[in-house]
Amino acid sequence: MDRETRLRNVFAGIKKEVEAGSLPANVAAGMQEVYNNYKNAVIQSGDPKANEIVLSNMIALLDRVFLDVTAVNRQTNSSVSGLDTNKFMTKWNGMPTTAFYELLLAILLSFLCALKRRNSYVGNMPLFIEMEEKLKQGHNIILMSNHQTEADPAVIALLLEARLPYIAENLTYVAGDRVITDPLSKPFSIGRNLICVYSKKHMLDDPALVEMKRTANIRALKEMAMLLRNGSQIVWIAPSGGRDRPEAQTREWVPAPFDLSSVDNMRRLVEHSGPPGHVYPLAILCHDIMPPPLKVEKEIGEKRIISFHGAGISVAPAISFSQATATCENPEKAKDVFTKALYDSVTEQYNVLKSAIHGKKGFEASTPVVSLSQPWK
């Protein structure tokens, strides 16, 4: 059976399941939307094999989403508690998660503005190399980052894997529960190491579930503590509690403010884990690839717009809590100063990436604080 026929069969099966009531219409519409947007993005890339790439990647992706939603014995994840680390999962609907990870990278690579061309950048690559050396020494690394798309983990992996495959493959992500409950978000998480928590932005969506969510988050923190005690862990967390959105007045994208309690919880976990720990501010710019809804949505089923565009990440030197707050006599003030130092660094790096990618200044956007490179070359 050729690929075009296979894809037609997939969509025919989707239509049949909707008519039978076993597949929600909004999920089916989302699958069609992802296919159409992905196809347009790949065609925009100018790849001479665009049609072949679309058919190959979308058949694999939609097949898995379809099976995940309709499988008779599917276990519904209506809640998340504690650690959900995908490296302990061997398969997702028959496909090994390692293979799915490779598929996701292939999907993103085909419309991420050419990692082998000119419009994506990494800031301060020597610091990423420094991190890997510290991991080899048994240290823990925490990346305090802004967050822009569901594809952030794969974007980070794509930008680092050529030079630092260990970090690309072994990063653990602190993620919201929707990454394993939303059928069209789940594929971006399969194959990744995850610790799932309930975001504060959705904590009060259903008053009856508030206590359960809080208890689940406490368990997740305990699992995180156990993980860090082993050392050699690198963990990504977005202390804003969700994805960035454009400002209402300017419509400019900026990193969302960091939540003080989230920063402090991670800081204390690292300090009490045993092995040496380091907190680095990380900036990521990739919202054009698959921007979130303009407002936080309570219901699952957001639209996913995919486009062909560049992306960038940057890291700044680790920030020491004791050094950053040496002059603070008030403990609460110290927490605020530390959180602000991390956020300000992320914002500064973000503006350099923005100048390089959106301002089209490329390497000329580099500053004494952020040195841009393309390590895949």
Side-chain angles (χ1 to χ4, degrees):
M1 184 184 302
D2 62 57
R3 286 175 174 169
E4 290 189 11
T5 301
R6 177 78 184 280
L7 186 62
R8 284 197 295 270
N9 287 347
V10 169
F11 279 116
I14 290 172
K15 181 179 179 181
K16 182 177 179 181
E17 294 295 337
V18 171
E19 292 172 348
S22 55
L23 178 67
N26 66 324
V27 174
M31 294 168 75
Q32 182 72 57
E33 183 179 61
V34 165
Y35 168 74
N36 291 335
N37 289 337
Y38 177 71
K39 180 178 179 180
N40 291 337
V42 177
I43 290 174
Q44 288 175 30
S45 74
D47 194 309
K49 296 183 179 180
N51 288 328
E52 181 180 340
I53 290 171
V54 171
L55 288 172
S56 176
N57 289 341
M58 284 294 102
I59 287 171
L61 179 71
L62 295 177
D63 256 350
R64 265 59 199 181
V65 174
F66 178 69
L67 289 171
D68 189 52
V69 177
T70 61
V72 176
N73 296 321
R74 171 174 171 263
Q75 180 178 357
T76 303
N77 286 302
S78 59
S79 65
V80 182
S81 61
L83 185 71
D84 180 17
T85 306
N86 282 329
K87 66 182 178 183
F88 295 125
M89 297 168 58
T90 57
K91 291 185 177 181
W92 187 51
N93 292 322
M95 176 181 280
T97 54
T98 51
F100 199 90
Y101 170 65
E102 295 299 328
L103 169 64
L104 180 54
L105 293 189
I107 288 172
L108 278 180
L109 183 60
S110 59
F111 66 84
L112 179 61
C113 185
L115 290 175
K116 296 181 180 177
R117 290 181 235 170
R118 66 178 183 274
N119 203 31
S120 293
Y121 301 92
V122 172
N124 298 332
M125 189 64 184
L127 287 176
F128 285 106
I129 297 171
E130 173 187 293
M131 288 180 200
E132 186 170 72
E133 291 302 315
K134 290 185 183 298
L135 290 170
K136 291 177 181 178
Q137 296 167 16
H139 295 204
N140 290 319
I141 302 292
I142 303 297
L143 301 175
M144 292 284 186
S145 175
N146 67 313
H147 176 28
Q148 297 214 310
T149 77
E150 292 171 323
D152 282 5
V155 169
I156 293 170
L158 275 172
L159 292 169
L160 293 180
E161 66 167 354
R163 180 63 179 81
L164 297 171
Y166 179 84
I167 290 180
E169 294 171 13
N170 289 282
L171 250 173
T172 293
Y173 296 85
V174 179
D177 63 290
R178 293 188 172 204
V179 302
I180 59 170
T181 57
D182 185 331
L184 290 171
S185 177
K186 188 173 181 179
F188 294 97
S189 304
I190 293 298
R192 308 307 304 163
N193 300 327
L194 299 178
I195 293 177
C196 290
V197 297
Y198 287 97
S199 168
K200 288 185 177 181
K201 293 181 179 179
H202 295 290
M203 185 64 70
L204 303 178
D205 286 356
D206 185 343
L209 299 177
V210 171
E211 189 57 36
M212 179 276 294
K213 291 179 179 181
R214 286 175 178 162
T215 301
N217 283 356
I218 291 171
R219 285 200 297 269
L221 284 174
K222 290 180 179 178
E223 294 288 353
M224 172 72 79
M226 291 177 62
L227 193 68
L228 293 173
R229 287 192 197 111
N230 295 325
S232 298
Q233 303 296 321
I234 179 166
V235 179
W236 177 95
I237 180 172
S240 63
R243 290 168 288 178
D244 301 336
R245 260 78 175 186
E247 290 186 324
Q249 300 294 329
T250 65
R251 297 187 179 180
E252 291 289 325
W253 289 77
V254 296
F258 285 1
D259 177 70
L260 184 149
S261 62
S262 296
V263 170
D264 195 57
N265 283 338
M266 283 303 303
R267 190 264 304 175
R268 288 187 289 110
L269 279 175
V270 175
E271 288 184 353
H272 296 106
S273 65
H278 312 275
V279 180
Y280 289 82
L282 179 84
I284 180 168
L285 190 158
C286 63
H287 61 80
D288 298 279
I289 291 173
M290 195 168 66
L294 294 180
K295 296 181 180 179
V296 177
E297 297 182 351
K298 291 186 178 182
E299 300 298 324
I300 287 175
E302 67 182 60
K303 290 184 176 294
R304 287 171 174 85
I305 301 169
I306 299 170
S307 64
F308 173 71
H309 209 280
I313 59 173
S314 177
V315 70
I319 296 178
S320 164
F321 179 79
S322 61
Q323 293 178 9
T325 63
T327 61
C328 297
E329 296 181 2
N330 184 312
E332 292 304 312
K333 177 64 176 178
K335 295 176 185 178
D336 183 66
V337 167
F338 185 58
T339 300
K340 186 176 186 303
L342 288 165
Y343 178 76
D344 287 349
S345 176
V346 169
T347 301
E348 181 179 18
Q349 296 177 79
Y350 183 86
N351 288 335
V352 173
L353 294 173
K354 182 178 177 181
S355 178
I357 298 170
H358 292 167
K360 300 182 180 180
K361 291 184 178 180
F363 295 112
E364 292 182 2
S366 294
T367 68
V369 175
V370 180
S371 176
L372 299 175
S373 66
Q374 294 177 323
W376 46 88
K377 286 189 174 180

